[in-house]
Amino acid sequence: MITLDRLTKSFGGSAQSAVDGLSLTINTGEICVLIGPSGCGKTTTMRMINRMVEPDSGRIEVGGRDVTKMDPVELRRSIGYVIQQVGLFPHMTLAENVATVPKMLGWDAARIAKRVDELLAMVHMDPSIYRDRFPRELSGGQKQRIGVARALAADPPVMLMDEPFGAIDPITRARLQDEFLRILRELGKTIVFVTHDIDEAIRMGSRIAILRNGKVVQYDTPERILAHPADAFVEAFVGGDRSLKRLALLTAGPYVESGTPAAGAPHLPATTPLRDALSAMLDAGTNEAGIVDAECRPLGRVTLQTIQQAAAVARSS
């Protein structure tokens, strides 16, 4: 879906390139996370995809088309874009904000109204309640939902997300991450996602590109980066708790065993990451947790021994 071929970009005559011969291939339906220390070129790389920054050299293809030969305005209307500051128009209602690109594309009013209501419902904001409200009436998390709905309005195949959850409190951020993972995977979008948070990268990414000095140091799945860091820089960047991070990639459901958990054990959804299950068990002072399905029906339990075995398998993989 997206091919970046030997991209280079410098600013202000600097001898150090912000992006230096960078090449990546992002397949259809993948969430590619760009991460690295400040100044590594992650945001510049993402902004070159929709030509908000023009490359000095190299080639960018989206859906088989060379974007440097496309009209920049047309290109940007075909790519969803979500930023940390959201950028909602304060004088417009939420419905008008979501409808921005469809209006530019000349959609008729009935089609726009239907699409707006679909998207508000998709991001869990009841259209009958929120359609005519203004951005000033929303919390930060609600504004971010509207920003994502607006980016999805014209049903773009590609979305760029620049630290979209960076300004949101940790509890709301985790909930939004889960919701948007569900939405984006259901819709089959191809996503380029910039973050500075390695835990967010592991949670959100199909594949992660770790950048340093404008170059790709390692580009692989979260599992392989945690299990086999390419060098000492990557190992240090992902942190010393790689075993715990790998547990965050495994959900409790496949590790359920029969039995009724002891009194006082926490009860958790089958979708709970094993790392979170371990944390809940430690908080409760137990060595097991009850696991329930989406309707809160008991499935069995997960034990500390099972989690230890899962961690051992992850270390050896």
Side-chain angles (χ1 to χ4, degrees):
M1 173 57 77
I2 302 173
T3 300
L4 311 180
D5 183 23
R6 293 170 290 179
L7 285 186
T8 299
K9 181 66 183 179
S10 297
F11 293 100
S14 172
Q16 175 68 49
S17 295
V19 176
D20 187 5
L22 185 146
S23 296
L24 282 178
T25 298
I26 304 166
N27 296 320
T28 300
E30 284 189 333
I31 300 177
C32 171
V33 177
L34 306 180
I35 189 170
S38 296
C40 70
K42 53 187 182 289
T43 297
T44 300
T45 298
M46 187 194 70
R47 288 166 65 89
M48 284 193 283
I49 294 171
N50 67 352
R51 292 182 60 191
M52 293 184 72
V53 172
E54 295 287 354
D56 294 335
S57 63
R59 192 180 86 260
I60 305 166
E61 289 187 1
V62 176
R65 301 177 68 186
D66 185 342
V67 304
T68 63
K69 298 178 181 177
M70 296 177 63
D71 176 75
V73 175
E74 176 190 351
L75 172 68
R76 290 171 199 146
R77 289 177 182 174
S78 70
I79 295 176
Y81 189 42
V82 185
I83 59 175
Q84 180 175 327
Q85 296 83 9
V86 186
L88 299 179
F89 300 112
H91 60 288
M92 291 184 178
T93 66
L94 303 185
E96 289 169 335
N97 268 281
V98 174
T100 301
V101 173
K103 284 183 178 179
M104 291 179 179
L105 295 175
W107 291 18
D108 63 67
R111 184 183 178 191
I112 289 174
K114 180 182 179 183
R115 181 63 173 162
V116 167
D117 284 358
E118 287 174 350
L119 288 167
L120 289 176
M122 187 182 295
V123 298
H124 295 166
M125 297 187 72
D126 186 336
S128 65
I129 296 173
Y130 290 101
R131 187 189 300 114
D132 298 320
R133 291 192 179 181
F134 289 87
R136 65 177 176 271
E137 301 176 70
L138 303 183
S139 68
Q142 289 173 324
K143 289 178 183 177
Q144 206 64 55
R145 292 168 190 260
I146 297 299
V148 171
R150 183 175 64 183
L152 288 168
D155 199 20
V158 172
M159 290 182 65
L160 310 179
M161 305 184 77
D162 190 1
E163 301 202 43
F165 311 122
I168 299 172
D169 67 89
I171 294 174
T172 303
R173 183 187 310 143
R175 187 167 64 248
L176 288 176
Q177 287 168 345
D178 287 343
E179 288 181 9
F180 291 130
L181 274 175
R182 174 186 58 81
I183 291 169
L184 297 173
R185 286 173 176 165
E186 285 178 1
L187 296 176
K189 302 299 180 185
T190 304
I191 314 295
V192 181
F193 190 108
V194 167
T195 183
H196 65 275
D197 183 337
I198 187 62
D199 289 321
E200 182 169 68
I202 291 166
R203 185 174 194 153
M204 299 294 292
S206 308
R207 292 213 284 172
I208 299 172
I210 298 180
L211 277 59
R212 184 185 190 191
N213 297 330
K215 298 178 182 291
V216 176
V217 183
Q218 186 167 0
Y219 182 43
D220 215 327
T221 64
E223 294 89 344
R224 286 196 56 81
I225 285 175
L226 290 172
H228 306 287
D231 59 18
F233 169 77
V234 174
E235 186 171 6
F237 189 81
V238 299
D241 57 343
R242 287 189 288 129
S243 293
L244 281 176
K245 287 184 170 71
R246 275 177 275 186
L247 287 179
L249 299 171
L250 306 173
T251 58
Y255 297 91
V256 172
E257 58 186 58
S258 61
T260 302
H267 287 75
L268 307 169
T271 54
T272 302
L274 286 182
R275 184 174 70 173
D276 294 351
L278 175 61
S279 177
M281 289 158 58
L282 292 173
D283 287 344
T286 67
N287 61 2
E288 59 185 5
I291 304 300
V292 299
D293 65 14
E295 283 74 43
C296 293
R297 295 174 299 205
L299 297 174
R301 61 180 183 166
V302 164
T303 66
L304 178 60
Q305 183 178 11
T306 300
I307 294 176
Q308 290 172 328
Q309 290 170 348
V313 171
R315 280 195 302 272
S316 63
S317 63

